[in-house]
């Protein structure tokens, strides 16, 4: 038990790193800044591993450990506390966040070496990780919300890190405002829960909700729907996904951190953490699955058409989070967390690989200006290829295959699943491997179009190699029943999240489904090979005929969501703001000011300095007073 | 023989004196005359006290008159000092001339 008490160090260390860099960042030299920035997250990872070993070695009673730090406030029976809650779910999150976060920090130390604002960068990154750890370890929804907003703040600061270009500031504000829409829904949900159940402690909330609210009752649906609103905003799902592609304005390690370890997975975690509320509201849970399915399809088609390497990856993240939502909606909680973990590894890998490509080509983002990099950057090529294989779920050897296959299986086999969800998932898997290998073929094969600058150093290569290994090996802790039947991950997860019941007769179909998913993934890769490597003119002619061109433009613009919001929300809002520049509510207060001022002017006229007038005033007043006394 | 005090006539006289004093304060511009008029008003009030004291055969009215006299003396000393200062600074005794403290 002694080791578990180190839990508070996990979020405290990155926050301490943040404080040191904020206070003393100007005084420290670059190696020291990197040492503090990377070291704090590394130590947090160490603390997380220590706590994790002790937790898994001798699991505490009730499979969870609560560390009460102090009571935040105590108002009329409502006493939110600063407590940390560790169970299987939060432990997996903490380990992934700290490990991937540490690798990204290590990579950034070299990636950002030539940039101004080195200390500022690491301060924000540390705060980002600290806020995310607060979020996942919070025992209380209020503390979770603190971390939630902290993550939002850091994403704003880091997306706009190169603030001298106004476009980056615009992207940062967009990310902040769009996620804020979801956050507003979530805060209303928290108020609803707090007023109805009188507490915000997650475990108590779930216990009380199960007792107070009937399945499908209005309260349960409202609470779950409002929390879902928050999750949609943070996790960039339809219809609030528009901020994520623009968030690519930040430095590449930031994108890796946002996509892999922090920020976008917060929504998945929130739903998994409060899963009982969603079980109480079947309609909302079905909506989660539906949103996931629609998101993964729309994001996949958009990713097919992008030219910017980071935007391809951004749309693919939206799609992969869509898979996690699909799993959550199907009730396959542990499958969602499993995919979160493998996705964190391979998406961080892909972003870091993309960062190395971008850096060696002097900040070139357009994939059509790259090409033939296979021989120039062999280390980047092989690791990026592993990440791409994992993302497109190359059968049997990659982690992405096992996690995605699990989701596809449950989207059909779960009592909450149906063939539509499964069809969407399989179609999405096909598109995923198509756009992933489009990217790989265009960047690394074909003729070389530009010369690379310097090769990435060891600090950038080592994290990528480690992530590549994890992207391959992490899948083997959870193998399907028909293929090895290893259940380490879900057995561990079931300590915190309920296991899923499978429909009768579904288990037999597992082998067929897996084979089908494998074939689909390979088909996508093959089609990418044909269209973008062997016969590129097919792709060109497809994109040049009229319907193809229109679709291409439509998908390139992300299904026109930005334009829709611009026309129907942003413009009218700006119009109202402009026409109401002199706020009409202010007229009332301006009137009060005017009345008071004119009365004062009139009164000050009477103060004319003539003693006789004052005497007359006194006399008149005395007469009036006497008259009132005498006659009334 | 007993002196007959005409109570009502006395009060009317006091009121007339008071009104005369007040009119003097309001219409006169010379500060000396204003002070004089204030004295008249004070004496009117004193007369009213004395008459009322005689009416109820109480000594309080005359006590109050002593008070008023004392106060009038104090007032005149301050008032004359002010008048001197005023003449010293402004070279006039016209109160309307010293209206610089207006709002």
């Amino acid at each position: 038990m002694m080791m578990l008490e180190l839990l508070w160090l996990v979020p405290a260390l990155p926050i301490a790193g943040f404080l040191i860099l904020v206070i003393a960042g100007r005084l420290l030299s670059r190696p020291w800044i990197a040492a503090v920035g990377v070291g704090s997250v590394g130590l947090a990872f160490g603390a997380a591993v220590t706590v994790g070993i002790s937790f898994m070695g001798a699991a505490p009673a009730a499979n969870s450990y609560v560390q009460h730090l102090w009571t935040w406030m105590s108002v009329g029976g409502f006493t939110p506390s600063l407590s940390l809650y560790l169970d299987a779910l939060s432990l997996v999150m903490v380990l992934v966040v700290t490990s991937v976060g540490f690798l990204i920090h290590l990579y950034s130390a070299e990636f950002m070496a030539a940039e101004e604002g080195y200390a500022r960068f690491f301060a924000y990154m540390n705060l980002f990780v600290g806020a995310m750890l607060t979020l996942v370890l919070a025992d209380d929804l209020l503390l979770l919300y603190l971390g939630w907003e902290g993550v939002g703040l850091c994403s704003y600061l880091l997306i706009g890190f190169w603030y001298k270009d106004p476009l980056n500031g615009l992207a940062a504000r967009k990310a902040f405002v769009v996620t804020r829409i979801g956050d507003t829904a979530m805060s209303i949900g928290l108020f609803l829960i707090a007023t109805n159940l009188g507490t915000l402690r997650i475990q108590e909330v779930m216990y009380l909700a199960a007792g107070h609210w009937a399945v499908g009752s209005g309260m349960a649906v409202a609470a779950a729907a409002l929390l879902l609103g928050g999750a949609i905003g943070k996790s960039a799902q339809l219809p609030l996904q528009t901020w994520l592609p623009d968030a690519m304005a930040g430095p590449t390690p930031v994108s890796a951190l946002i996509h892999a370890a922090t920020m976008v997975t917060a929504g998945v975690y929130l739903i998994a953490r409060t899963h009982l509320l969603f079980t109480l509201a079947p309609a909302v849970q079905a909506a989660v699955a539906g949103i996931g399915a629609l998101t993964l399809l729309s994001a996949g088609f958009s990713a097919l058409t992008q030219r910017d390497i980071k935007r391809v990856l951004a749309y693919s993240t939206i799609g992969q989070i869509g898979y996690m939502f699909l799993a959550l909606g199907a009730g396959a909680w542990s499958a969602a967390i499993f995919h979160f973990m493998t996705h964190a590894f391979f998406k961080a890998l892909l972003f870091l690989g993309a960062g190395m490509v971008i850096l060696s080509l002097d900040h070139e983002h357009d994939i059509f200006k790259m090409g033939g990099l296979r021989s120039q950057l062999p280390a980047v090529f092989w690791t990026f290829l592993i990440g791409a294989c994992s993302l497109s779920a190359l059968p049997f050897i990659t982690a992405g295959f096992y996690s995605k296959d699990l989701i596809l299986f449950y989207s059909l086999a779960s009592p909450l699943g149906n063939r539509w969800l499964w069809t969407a998932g399989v179609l999405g898997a096909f598109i995923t491997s198509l756009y992933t290998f489009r990217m790989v073929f265009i960047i690394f094969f074909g003729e070389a179009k530009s010369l690379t600058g310097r090769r990435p150093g060891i600090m950038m290569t080592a994290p990528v190699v480690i992530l590549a290994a994890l992207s391959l090996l992490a899948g083997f802790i959870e193998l399907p029943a028909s293929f090895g039947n290893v259940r380490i991950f879900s057995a561990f997860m079931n300590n915190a999240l309920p296991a899923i019941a499978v429909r009768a007769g579904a288990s037999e179909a597992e082998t067929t489904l897996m084979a089908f998913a494998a074939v689909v993934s390979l088909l996508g890769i093959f089609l990418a090979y044909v269209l973008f490597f062997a016969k590129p003119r097919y792709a060109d002619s497809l994109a040049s005929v009229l319907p193809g061109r229109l679709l291409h433009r439509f998908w390139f613009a992300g299904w026109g969501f930005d334009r829709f919001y611009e026309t129907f929300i942003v413009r009218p809002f700006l119009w109202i703001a402009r026409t109401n520049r002199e706020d009409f509510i202010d007229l009332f207060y301006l009137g009060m000011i005017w009345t008071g001022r004119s009365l004062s002017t009139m009164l000050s006229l009477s103060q004319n300095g003539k003693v006789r007038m004052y005497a007359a005033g006194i006399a008149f007043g005395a007469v009036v007073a006497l008259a009132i006394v005498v006659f009334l | 023989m007993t002196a007959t005090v005409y109570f009502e006539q006395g009060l009317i006289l006091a009121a007339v004196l008071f009104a005369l004093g007040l009119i003097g304060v309001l219409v006169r511009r010379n500060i000396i005359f204003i002070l004089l008029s204030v004295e008249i008003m004070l004496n009117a009030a004193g007369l009213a006290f004395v008459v009322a004291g005689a009416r109820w055969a109480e000594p309080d009215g005359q006590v109050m008159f002593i008070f008023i006299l004392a106060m009038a003396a104090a007032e005149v000393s301050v008032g004359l000092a002010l008048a001197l200062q005023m003449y010293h600074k402004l070279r006039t005794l016209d109160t309307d001339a010293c209206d610089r403290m207006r709002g």
Side-chain angles (χ1 to χ4, degrees):
Chain A
M1 286 306 281
M2 283 307 288
M3 285 302 177
L4 282 178
E5 282 162 15
L6 293 177
L7 184 60
W8 65 275
L9 279 173
V10 176
L13 280 167
I15 293 174
F18 160 72
L19 289 176
I20 292 173
L21 289 174
V22 158
I23 295 167
R26 282 165 188 277
L27 308 175
L28 295 174
S29 64
R30 285 190 173 229
W32 274 106
I33 293 170
V36 172
V38 179
S40 66
V41 180
L43 287 175
F45 176 57
V49 169
T50 318
V51 169
I53 288 171
S54 137
F55 183 85
M56 283 191 262
N63 285 316
S64 64
Y65 170 70
V66 179
Q67 186 171 35
H68 180 82
L69 299 179
W70 61 82
T71 300
W72 192 340
M73 56 180 135
S74 177
V75 185
F78 177 64
T79 50
S81 60
L82 285 186
S83 314
L84 304 179
Y85 181 83
L86 187 75
D87 65 351
L89 173 60
S90 48
L91 180 61
V92 168
M93 294 293 292
V94 163
L95 285 175
V96 172
V97 169
T98 48
S99 61
V100 175
F102 170 62
L103 292 174
I104 294 172
H105 274 73
L106 193 62
Y107 174 95
S108 318
E110 187 183 329
F111 187 88
M112 300 297 288
E115 298 286 340
E116 279 176 46
Y118 202 55
R120 184 165 62 95
F121 179 79
F122 275 107
Y124 293 165
M125 293 280 274
N126 276 359
L127 184 62
F128 208 163
V129 173
M132 187 67 188
L133 291 171
T134 313
L135 193 163
V136 296
L137 281 173
D139 182 37
D140 196 287
L141 278 171
L142 203 61
L143 186 60
L144 185 146
Y145 193 67
L146 179 76
W148 186 272
E149 292 298 329
V151 167
L153 169 72
C154 291
S155 71
Y156 166 77
L157 293 172
L158 283 168
I159 292 167
F161 179 74
W162 287 317
Y163 58 89
K164 284 177 185 160
D165 182 355
L167 281 178
N168 294 342
L170 195 71
R173 284 200 298 278
K174 184 173 175 186
F176 196 67
V177 171
V178 172
T179 53
R180 189 47 28 98
I181 296 169
D183 294 356
T184 310
M186 181 173 161
S187 62
I188 296 172
L190 295 192
F191 283 128
L192 190 79
I193 291 170
T195 46
N196 276 278
L197 301 176
T199 180
L200 281 177
R201 285 197 59 198
I202 297 168
Q203 304 307 317
E204 273 179 37
V205 164
M206 295 213 284
Y207 175 77
L208 288 173
H212 282 57
W213 294 340
V215 173
S217 67
M219 244 346 145
V221 170
L226 287 167
L227 290 186
L228 173 62
I232 285 175
K234 267 290 181 278
S235 289
Q237 299 293 292
L238 280 180
L240 296 179
Q241 85 287 31
T242 56
W243 65 271
L244 196 58
D246 288 345
M248 295 299 109
T252 308
V254 173
S255 310
L257 198 61
I258 288 181
H259 287 247
T262 58
M263 188 83 181
V264 293
T265 48
V268 177
Y269 174 75
L270 176 72
I271 295 180
R273 180 88 283 174
T274 59
H275 57 90
L276 214 62
L277 290 178
F278 287 85
T279 315
L280 288 177
V284 179
Q285 203 180 356
V288 174
I291 288 169
L294 285 177
T295 308
L296 71 92
L297 283 179
S298 67
F301 282 116
S302 286
L304 262 182
T305 58
Q306 300 301 317
R307 300 176 63 93
D308 183 331
I309 180 171
K310 284 174 75 182
R311 284 179 86 91
V312 177
L313 293 173
Y315 276 111
S316 95
T317 299
I318 298 177
Q320 298 308 305
I321 306 274
Y323 274 107
M324 296 176 209
F325 269 60
L326 181 62
L328 294 170
W333 314 109
S334 61
I337 301 303
F338 187 44
H339 195 56
F340 152 74
M341 187 179 81
T342 59
H343 173 256
F345 295 145
F346 65 68
K347 190 49 65 67
L349 168 60
L350 286 170
F351 264 113
L352 298 187
M356 295 203 277
V357 170
I358 291 169
L359 201 64
S360 66
L361 294 180
D362 198 19
H363 292 275
E364 179 58 64
H365 281 209
D366 190 338
I367 52 174
F368 289 104
K369 292 184 182 157
M370 303 169 184
L373 293 180
R374 181 168 43 122
S375 49
Q376 299 189 50
L377 300 169
V380 178
F381 167 66
W382 286 108
T383 48
F384 197 87
L385 185 68
I386 290 171
C389 289
S390 203
L391 171 59
S392 39
L394 194 73
F396 307 124
I397 55 165
T398 61
F401 172 71
Y402 294 109
S403 60
K404 198 177 282 183
D405 180 60
L406 202 62
I407 292 177
L408 289 177
F409 171 66
Y410 282 127
S411 70
L412 189 65
S414 147
L416 299 168
N418 57 48
R419 67 188 55 182
W420 294 110
L421 295 180
W422 181 79
T423 312
V426 169
L427 192 56
F430 175 71
I431 302 167
T432 305
S433 46
L434 182 59
Y435 70 66
T436 309
F437 274 85
R438 166 182 177 264
M439 189 167 61
V440 170
F441 284 124
I442 291 176
I443 296 176
F444 291 102
F445 289 82
E447 69 215 69
K449 289 174 188 157
S450 46
L451 286 173
T452 53
R454 63 189 186 92
R455 296 273 175 94
I458 183 73
M459 293 247 280
M460 283 161 81
T461 321
V464 171
V465 170
I466 295 170
L467 285 169
L470 285 170
S471 301
L472 291 179
L473 300 176
F476 293 106
I477 56 172
E478 177 80 10
L479 297 179
S482 53
F483 186 80
N485 196 15
V486 177
R487 296 280 170 187
I488 301 172
F489 188 82
S490 53
F492 181 56
M493 257 316 126
N494 288 342
N495 292 331
L497 296 166
I500 184 169
V502 177
R503 258 188 241 190
S507 307
E508 287 75 54
E510 194 176 6
T511 319
T512 327
L513 291 176
M514 193 168 77
F516 195 80
V519 169
V520 161
S521 152
L522 289 173
L523 261 181
I525 297 174
F526 177 69
L527 189 64
Y529 170 76
V530 171
L531 283 182
F532 302 107
F533 184 63
K535 311 262 187 221
R537 63 173 192 279
Y538 287 175
D540 292 340
S541 58
L542 208 62
S544 58
V545 294
L546 188 65
R549 209 164 60 214
L550 285 178
L551 268 183
H552 188 281
R553 212 154 68 196
F554 187 52
W555 289 342
F556 183 73
W559 298 70
F561 269 96
D562 273 329
R563 199 152 163 201
F564 179 81
Y565 291 150
E566 181 74 21
T567 319
F568 288 98
I569 297 174
V570 178
R571 289 252 180 81
F573 187 81
L574 287 178
W575 180 80
I576 291 172
R578 246 196 324 272
T579 36
N580 195 23
R581 193 184 291 262
E582 317 278 328
D583 189 359
F584 74 95
I585 295 185
D586 273 359
L587 284 181
F588 175 68
Y589 300 101
L590 288 174
M592 280 170 67
I593 292 169
W594 183 83
T595 316
R597 190 169 288 161
S598 48
L599 284 176
S600 150
T601 317
M602 281 160 65
L603 271 178
S604 66
L605 275 181
S606 72
Q607 193 189 0
N608 54 9
K610 301 227 188 305
V611 182
R612 300 186 302 136
M613 293 300 284
Y614 299 165
I618 293 168
F620 179 75
V623 168
V624 170
L626 275 177
I628 290 173
V629 171
V630 172
F631 295 109
L632 294 180
Chain B
M1 66 176 277
T2 53
T4 311
V5 177
Y6 299 99
F7 178 63
E8 291 189 355
Q9 286 87 334
L11 279 189
I12 288 168
L13 178 61
V16 169
L17 275 176
F18 190 86
L20 281 175
L22 182 60
I23 289 166
V25 168
L26 294 185
V27 301
R28 284 291 187 171
R29 292 166 64 176
N30 191 314
I31 191 153
I32 303 294
F33 282 94
I34 291 178
L35 285 175
L36 272 176
S37 306
V38 169
E39 288 305 309
I40 292 170
M41 289 167 72
L42 284 173
N43 280 305
L47 178 61
F49 274 114
V50 171
V51 169
R55 163 70 177 76
W56 281 286
E58 295 279 348
D60 295 2
Q62 295 176 25
V63 170
M64 284 306 293
F65 186 66
I66 302 293
F67 277 143
I68 287 172
L69 275 186
M71 195 209 74
E75 181 248 314
V76 163
S77 63
V78 174
L80 285 179
L82 282 174
L84 272 177
Q85 277 299 315
M86 184 180 163
Y87 187 73
H88 190 67
K89 299 265 182 205
L90 301 174
R91 295 278 149 201
T92 175
L93 287 174
D94 184 356
T95 51
D96 284 6
C98 53
D99 60 349
R100 278 169 56 197
M101 278 177 66
R102 56 176 172 264

